[in-house]
Structures are given as C-alpha cells and as structure tokens.
C-alpha cells in the first residue's frame, strides 16, 4: 500500500548496515562520524565489561537505550563462547559491529521527517530488527512483529525488554477455558503428542514420547542406585548458547548466562550439600543442535558427589514430577510444566509466565543460593495456583501467537517452518504469481491486522 511506503524505505535503508559484517573501507566512506562514535562506544563497552560483565549486560547503553543484553547474547551464540570468561578479539568485533549497526539505524530513524511504522521479524540478539524495536519504542513509535504465527504490536518501551508472548494476570480472565479441555491438553502434552506455538514440538516429543516410567518415589532411588533422601530436586539445564536475554524471553536474568547458572549451581551444591537432597541434573534436548554435546556431562562429572545424578534419558520426565520437591531452571518451559503438577519451581529471570504467583523468583544470586540451600520457601502450590499454571501453559501454546489465519501458501506454524528449507521455500514462493499470494487467507489476515492496528 502507498501509505506504507515510509516503512519500506526504512527497511531498505537498514540494508546498508550489512556493510558492517566486514571491516572494509566502505564503513569509513559510509559515515565517518558514526564510525568514530562507534569506536568510542566500543572502548567504553570493553571497560564496563572488564569491570563487571553483569553490569555490561544490564546497563550498557547507546543514546540512553540499553543494548548490552543483546550484544552479549550475540557474543555467545556460536563456537561455545559461553565457556570464555575473558574478552577476546571476537567479542570486540561483535561489540563494534553491533554498536555501528545500532548507531546507523538510530540515525536513520531519528532523521525521518515523516511518521513511520517499524516492521520487525525477530526479538533476539543484536539484530537490525531488535535494534529497530528499541529505538522506535524510544521515539514513541509503534512496532509490528510478524514471525510465523506471531502478530504483535509494541507501543511501550518496557515491552521491548519482555517476551513477545508474555502472559499477565489480566490475560487469564480473558479466556474462558473448561477444565476438561485443559486436562485433555495436558494429557496429550505429556504423551508427547501436543502441538502449539510456544514450545518446540520436537523437544516435547523427545522428552515425553515412548519412555519408561517412574512408578513411585522409592522406584526413583532404586533406578539411580541411591539411599533415600529427604528431598528430590531437578535442575533443568538450557541450551547454553541460546539467548539468555532479549525480547524472546525477557531481558532481566540474575546470572551472566545459562552456563553461568549451571556451573555456579553445580559448584555451590558440591560444596554445601548436606546429604538430605537428591540432585538430578537434566541436559537440554537441543544441546546437540548448538554443538554442545559433552559439555554438560563434563561439568557434572567435574563436580560429582554421591547424591548428584544425571537424569536417565530412557525415562518419561512427567512421571518424575509428582515426586519432586522443586524444579530449578533459568526460565525454561520445564518450570511451568512442573507447576502444572503442583510444584513451585525456581526461575532466575523474567519469562513469559513469571509474576503469576506459581514460580519462586529470587531477585539476585545471593537469594537464589539461599533458596536452594535450605529450600526455605513454600514449594507446594495450592489448587488455585496449580490451576493457574495449567491455564497459563494452555494459553501460551494456543493463544499468544494467534492472529494469522491458516493459508495454503504461506507458513504460519513454527513446527512447519522448522521442517522447511528456507532457500527452497523462497524459490518455491518466487514461482507463485503475486496475485495468488494476495488472496491467500494468511496474507489477508495479516493485511487486516495491519490496517486495524495502524489505521492505514
């Protein structure tokens, strides 16, 4: 539409920032002033990180907009860089490129003479989309996220630091869902046959399909060949390279990253275990995708003690939940799954389901370690909170990403998108006449969403 021409212009100009993927003379020609400012911010960022990495992640700003979390997430995305505790040339390069891209996009958007709408497709890492999201919100502009089934409008700056699928207490009253419907959903989920738009369906199948069952509490100790303990706690690890901050989950996190949480927890309990707790550590089902195979086992073995065991992969995790005292995770789906069984889990940052009363949320690492030392909190949920957790999981899977109608041409489901090779899909789309795409139900529903929310 002609009324969206400004948006198209902004998108096209963002492509200039792709020059920053290589250190060429084009950067200097492009904008010497932005280049020199980027050097300044890079040096400042290095000093802040050297003094306190958490301070860099939580507070590093450019033009009074926080971006440290996004830059850090990009710095650990590949090559197992979460293992590094020092600054190297790769980190400096990622920092400079991120600062340069941000500065360029900031300049483009600030100099817009006309009003504009910002269209983005992702809310993780130091990407053009994520920078444009925070900058535009800072300027008081609306931002539209479109990613597979996700259709969302951002209009407040604080939304840029929260999950795009965040559920609030007020949202729970919007949906009238029968208990039978929710129970059927949970039954299917823990059989591995559920589908939705929140959790990767392949991970659900890998964890819950065709597994052995724990029959009772005594059976757990028999399988693990241990004497009975007073408590049983499950630590559910994340994929260490995955983004621990940013809009995909929420910016606030009390550890540097997921590996930092994992390693420090192992070290702490190995030094402070009182022999009354069975600690079961579970590796993330997607660790192999991030080429992290072997790291989890290496560190569990390094800090190994009598009551520390790895979760036996041949067993169905849902049959362990009824006998747990709590589940510990950064902010993984495992927390809300445990809560549906009446267990109050410990999470370490803001997530899609935090702040709803059924999670224990320590404010800092001191409080976190105090909690896991004595389990000094009420770790059993009352029926009301357990029911709230069950309803929240149902909403997350079925409603938070809804908005686009199912089409015959365009993909609007995450699991289908994962199965498709993007390059082949693009080739296929180019062969389809544009007129045919423009009458597809998916296209029409997205178009109507834009018109309704942006009045164009």
């Amino acid at each position: 539409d002609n009324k969206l021409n400004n948006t198209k212009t902004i998108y096209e100009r963002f492509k200039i920032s792709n020059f920053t993927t290589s250190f060429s003379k084009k950067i200097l020609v492009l904008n010497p002033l932005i280049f020199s400012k980027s050097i300044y911010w890079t040096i400042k960022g290095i000093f802040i990180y050297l003094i306190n990495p958490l301070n860099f992640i939580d507070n590093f700003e450019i033009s009074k907009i926080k971006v440290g979390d996004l830059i850090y997430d990009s710095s650990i995305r590949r090559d197992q860089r979460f293992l590094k505790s020092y600054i190297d040339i790769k980190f400096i390069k990622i920092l400079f490129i991120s600062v340069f891209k941000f500065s360029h996009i900031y300049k483009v958007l600030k100099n817009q003479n006309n009003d504009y709408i910002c269209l983005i497709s992702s809310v993780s890492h130091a990407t053009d989309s994520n920078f444009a999201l925070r900058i535009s919100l800072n300027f008081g502009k609306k931002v539209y996220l479109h990613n597979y089934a996700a259709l969302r409008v951002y209009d407040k700056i604080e939304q840029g630091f929260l999950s795009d699928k965040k559920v609030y207490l007020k949202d729970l009253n919007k949906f009238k869902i029968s208990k039978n419907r929710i129970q059927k959903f949970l039954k299917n989920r823990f059989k591995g046959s559920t589908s939705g738009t929140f959790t990767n369906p392949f991970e659900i199948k890998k964890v819950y399909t065709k597994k052995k069952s724990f029959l009772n509490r005594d059976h757990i100790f028999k399988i693990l060949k241990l004497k009975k303990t007073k408590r049983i706690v499950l630590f559910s690890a994340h994929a260490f390279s995955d983004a621990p901050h940013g809009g995909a989950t929420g910016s606030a996190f009390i550890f540097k990253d997921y590996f930092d949480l994992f390693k420090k927890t192992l070290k702490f309990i190995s030094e402070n275990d009182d022999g009354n707790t069975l600690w079961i550590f579970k590796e993330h089902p997607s660790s192999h995708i991030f080429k992290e195979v072997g790291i989890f086992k290496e560190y569990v073995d390094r800090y190994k003690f009598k009551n520390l065991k790895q979760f036996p992969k041949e067993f169905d995790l849902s049959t362990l939940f009824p006998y747990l005292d709590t589940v510990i995770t950064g902010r993984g789906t495992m927390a809300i799954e445990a809560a549906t069984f009446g267990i109050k889990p410990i999470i370490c940052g803001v997530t899609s389901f935090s702040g709803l009363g059924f999670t224990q949320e320590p404010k800092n690492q001191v409080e976190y370690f105090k909690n896991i030392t004595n389990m000094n909190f009420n770790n059993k949920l009352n029926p009301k909170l357990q029911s709230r957790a069950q309803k929240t999981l149902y909403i997350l899977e079925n409603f938070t990403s809804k908005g686009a109608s199912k089409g015959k041409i365009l993909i609007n489901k995450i699991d289908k998108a994962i199965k498709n090779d993007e390059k082949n899909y693009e080739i296929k789309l180019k062969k389809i006449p544009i007129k045919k795409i423009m009458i597809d139900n998916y296209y029409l529903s997205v178009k109507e969403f834009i018109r309704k929310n942006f009045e164009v």
Side-chain angles (χ1 to χ4, degrees):
D1 290 332
N2 291 332
K3 293 182 180 179
L4 290 178
N5 277 342
N6 285 338
T7 303
K8 182 179 179 182
T9 301
I10 291 170
Y11 171 76
E12 292 297 330
R13 293 179 71 177
F14 282 176
K15 290 183 179 179
I16 298 173
S17 65
N18 289 336
F19 278 125
T20 60
T21 57
S22 62
F23 290 95
S24 66
K25 293 181 180 179
K26 292 180 180 178
I27 294 178
L28 291 169
V29 174
L30 184 64
N31 196 313
L33 181 60
I34 289 179
F35 180 80
S36 61
K37 284 185 177 181
S38 299
I39 293 291
Y40 165 78
W41 286 111
T42 299
I43 294 172
K44 184 175 181 179
I46 291 170
F47 276 106
I48 294 173
Y49 190 92
L50 285 172
I51 296 171
N52 188 335
L54 271 177
N55 186 39
F56 172 86
I57 293 167
D58 293 338
N59 299 308
F60 179 65
E61 298 179 335
I62 305 174
S63 301
K64 297 183 178 180
I65 300 174
K66 292 183 178 181
V67 293
D69 54 332
L70 306 181
I71 295 171
Y72 181 78
D73 285 3
S74 288
S75 75
I76 64 168
R77 184 65 172 175
R78 291 178 173 81
D79 304 322
Q80 300 176 1
R81 292 185 53 76
F82 53 84
L83 293 170
K84 296 183 179 295
S85 57
Y86 55 87
I87 287 181
D88 61 6
I89 190 64
K90 284 189 176 181
F91 177 87
I92 295 173
K93 181 178 178 180
I94 291 169
L95 175 59
F96 174 78
I97 290 173
S98 299
V99 169
F100 184 86
K101 289 171 70 174
F102 179 94
S103 300
H104 176 71
I105 295 170
Y106 185 91
K107 181 177 181 294
V108 169
L109 296 182
K110 185 178 181 180
N111 292 337
Q112 282 299 309
N113 295 322
N114 300 320
D115 198 10
Y116 71 85
I117 297 166
C118 180
L119 309 181
I120 63 173
S121 60
S122 69
V123 286
S124 295
H125 301 95
T127 60
D128 291 3
S129 286
N130 223 345
F131 288 154
L133 166 68
R134 294 190 181 181
I135 293 169
S136 296
L137 291 176
N138 187 63
F139 289 156
K141 307 297 183 182
K142 283 187 176 182
V143 179
Y144 164 56
L145 169 68
H146 175 211
N147 188 340
Y148 303 123
L151 294 172
R152 179 177 175 184
V153 176
Y154 294 82
D155 54 15
K156 297 178 181 178
I157 185 65
E158 56 268 23
Q159 294 173 337
F161 299 88
L162 297 172
S163 168
D164 59 295
K165 300 176 179 65
K166 185 78 176 74
V167 175
Y168 299 90
L169 280 174
K170 62 181 181 180
D171 297 324
L172 297 175
N173 298 323
K174 293 179 182 179
F175 302 99
K176 304 298 180 183
I177 310 164
S178 70
K179 290 184 178 180
N180 288 338
R181 191 175 178 184
I182 293 175
Q183 290 304 314
K184 183 179 179 181
F185 158 78
L186 292 172
K187 184 178 179 181
N188 287 334
R189 183 183 187 87
F190 296 120
K191 284 183 176 179
S193 59
T194 187
S195 62
T197 57
F198 182 68
T199 314
N200 187 328
F202 302 119
E203 292 177 1
I204 296 175
K205 289 178 181 178
K206 189 172 182 178
V207 173
Y208 298 116
T209 305
K210 295 180 180 178
K211 302 280 186 176
K212 296 180 182 179
S213 298
F214 288 111
L215 304 178
N216 50 51
R217 184 181 175 87
D218 290 345
H219 189 221
I220 297 170
F221 293 99
K222 182 179 179 180
I223 293 298
L224 298 178
K225 298 179 181 178
L226 288 173
K227 291 182 179 180
K228 297 178 186 178
T229 59
K230 182 180 178 181
R231 294 180 293 264
I232 304 176
V233 175
L234 174 71
F235 181 97
S236 178
H238 289 260
F240 302 132
S241 303
D242 206 2
H245 311 92
T249 50
S251 180
F253 195 63
I254 63 175
F255 287 86
K256 189 170 66 171
D257 51 45
Y258 296 138
F259 179 75
D260 190 42
L261 164 64
F262 167 71
K263 181 181 176 181
K264 285 182 177 178
T265 302
L266 272 173
K267 186 176 185 296
F268 181 85
I269 62 176
S270 69
E271 295 172 351
N272 296 275
D273 179 60
D274 59 3
N276 292 322
T277 304
L278 166 57
W279 295 91
I280 302 175
F281 272 62
K282 185 183 182 303
E283 188 174 17
H284 194 276
S286 296
S287 60
H288 65 287
I289 295 175
F290 294 93
K291 299 180 181 179
E292 299 171 2
V293 175
I295 295 174
F296 177 88
K297 184 178 185 304
E298 177 190 343
Y299 277 83
V300 171
D301 289 344
R302 181 182 300 184
Y303 294 99
K304 195 168 186 178
F305 56 94
K306 183 179 179 181
N307 289 334
L308 174 63
K309 294 289 183 178
Q310 291 189 52
F311 180 80
K313 295 180 180 180
E314 67 273 18
F315 278 81
D316 179 346
L317 182 61
S318 67
T319 63
L320 178 65
F321 283 142
Y323 312 109
L324 293 174
D325 287 86
T326 192
V327 168
I328 300 172
T329 183
R331 44 172 153 233
T333 311
M334 197 73 67
I336 190 171
E337 290 176 329
T340 67
F341 283 82
I343 303 163
K344 191 171 189 177
I346 299 174
I347 59 174
C348 299
V350 175
T351 188
S352 302
F353 48 83
S354 56
L356 298 176
F358 53 78
T359 52
Q360 177 73 11
E361 303 170 20
K363 298 180 178 62
N364 51 53
Q365 292 184 30
V366 173
E367 185 178 334
Y368 167 77
F369 289 119
K370 184 179 178 181
N371 283 345
I372 69 171
T373 300
N374 304 310
M375 298 298 164
N376 60 338
F377 64 96
N378 185 4
N379 60 329
K380 297 297 181 184
L381 298 173
N382 60 41
K384 181 180 178 181
L385 289 176
Q386 182 180 357
S387 177
R388 181 182 293 176
Q390 293 172 347
K391 185 176 182 179
T392 301
L393 182 56
Y394 184 91
I395 291 170
L396 282 169
E397 291 290 6
N398 293 281
F399 294 112
T400 53
S401 291
K402 291 288 183 177
S405 300
K406 185 177 180 180
K408 294 182 179 180
I409 300 173
L410 302 171
I411 297 174
N412 74 326
K413 289 191 71 177
I414 294 175
D415 55 337
K416 287 186 178 180
I418 293 172
K419 291 178 183 177
N420 276 270
D421 180 86
E422 288 188 6
K423 290 185 179 180
N424 290 335
Y425 183 65
E426 286 179 11
I427 293 171
K428 180 181 177 181
L429 278 180
K430 288 178 180 179
K431 295 179 180 179
I432 300 174
I434 189 68
K435 290 183 178 180
K436 192 171 182 179
I437 292 176
M438 291 177 71
I439 61 173
D440 186 75
N441 284 337
Y442 182 93
Y443 173 88
L444 292 174
S445 65
V446 172
K447 182 177 180 180
E448 180 57 29
F449 180 87
I450 294 173
R451 290 190 181 280
K452 180 180 178 180
N453 287 281
F454 296 101
E455 300 177 355
V456 293

